[in-house]
Amino acid sequence: MVRPRRRIGVLALQGAFREHIAMLDRLGANGVEVRLPEQLEGLEGLILPGGESTSIGKLAVEYGLVDGIARMAREGRPIWGTCAGMILLAESAGHPDQPLLRLMDISVRRNAFGRQVDSFEADLSIPALGRKAFRGIFIRAPLIEKIGERVEVLARLPEGGIVAVRQGNLLATAFHPELTADTRFHRYFLAIAS
Ligand code: GLN
């Protein structure tokens, strides 16, 4: 019997959600744009994309999505935040006025690489994905500054900064796997979702 395609939501309020949907579809899942709370029902996972974390956070509050996303996390459904999405998952991001979901025990620093280094790429060693390096694309990226006991580090920059973590069913990356042709990180997420 053919297994029905898994429905994975991508928060589509602002930012780079189309690229995630294209990647999910390439991997045989069904990427679904999410803008309303009822669209969270029946999803087997959710991706919070990159973009502008303050805008996405404010819109998520306005659209009434915060409780539903927190419920997904509690129910053990996987959630993955990339870049701005990672900031939204954090417990703190250093801006008291910015709405956050606070689902992961991490503290992040926004735009951690400063104005001079707006964007850069780096080869990352990510043992969870295999031996081949993963090309990390960083765009005005945040850095993870503090992690709690239950948080597992998946990747660091060569200089040591933490850029990918997992806490049970929750995943966060400071970089943008959806902007590469490498599908391994999306496969890793889908494996948590199965
Ligand atoms: N700098 C953005 C923020 O702080 C994140 C950038 C991104 O998602 N590419 O929200």
Side-chain angles (χ1 to χ4, degrees):
M1 222 184 76
V2 182
R3 197 171 171 221
R5 291 203 303 157
R6 273 178 296 164
R7 286 166 54 80
I8 305 289
V10 182
L11 197 63
L13 301 174
Q14 191 264 337
F17 54 89
R18 288 184 190 86
E19 293 81 351
H20 275 296
I21 288 180
M23 191 73 118
L24 291 167
D25 289 345
R26 258 180 77 190
L27 293 174
N30 180 10
V32 184
E33 293 183 11
V34 171
R35 292 188 185 82
L36 300 168
E38 50 269 30
Q39 294 169 330
L40 295 170
E41 277 164 34
L43 295 179
E44 293 178 64
L46 179 69
I47 295 178
L48 313 175
E52 216 288 313
S53 58
T54 308
S55 308
I56 300 175
K58 284 183 179 161
L59 289 168
V61 172
E62 219 167 282
Y63 284 58
L65 284 157
V66 173
D67 290 346
I69 297 174
R71 191 174 327 115
M72 278 188 80
R74 273 199 310 277
E75 289 169 356
R77 285 187 276 167
I79 302 180
W80 173 18
T82 54
C83 203
M86 172 174 103
I87 296 168
L88 291 169
L89 287 175
E91 181 58 43
S92 104
H95 296 256
D97 300 337
Q98 172 174 16
L100 299 175
L101 297 166
R102 299 183 204 283
L103 297 174
M104 292 185 82
D105 193 4
I106 58 174
S107 302
V108 304
R109 182 153 47 96
R110 291 178 62 184
N111 303 311
F113 301 93
R115 282 184 177 277
Q116 291 83 351
V117 203
D118 213 32
S119 307
F120 64 96
E121 299 190 11
D123 278 330
L124 304 170
S125 151
I126 309 183
L129 302 184
R131 288 171 67 91
K132 197 173 139 244
F134 192 93
R135 192 76 176 155
I137 299 181
F138 295 82
I139 304 169
R140 291 184 295 287
L143 197 57
I144 301 166
E145 292 197 306
K146 230 172 79 195
I147 62 170
E149 269 169 28
R150 294 164 299 160
V151 178
E152 176 193 351
V153 174
L154 297 179
R156 292 179 184 270
L157 286 170
E159 298 80 13
I162 302 172
V163 290
V165 290
R166 176 173 176 178
Q167 180 180 338
N169 54 314
L170 306 176
L171 206 58
T173 53
F175 48 94
H176 288 265
E178 79 285 6
L179 300 183
T180 68
D182 193 333
T183 56
R184 284 180 296 161
F185 225 112
H186 287 78
R187 284 181 202 279
Y188 179 76
F189 178 67
L190 289 173
I192 302 175
S194 61

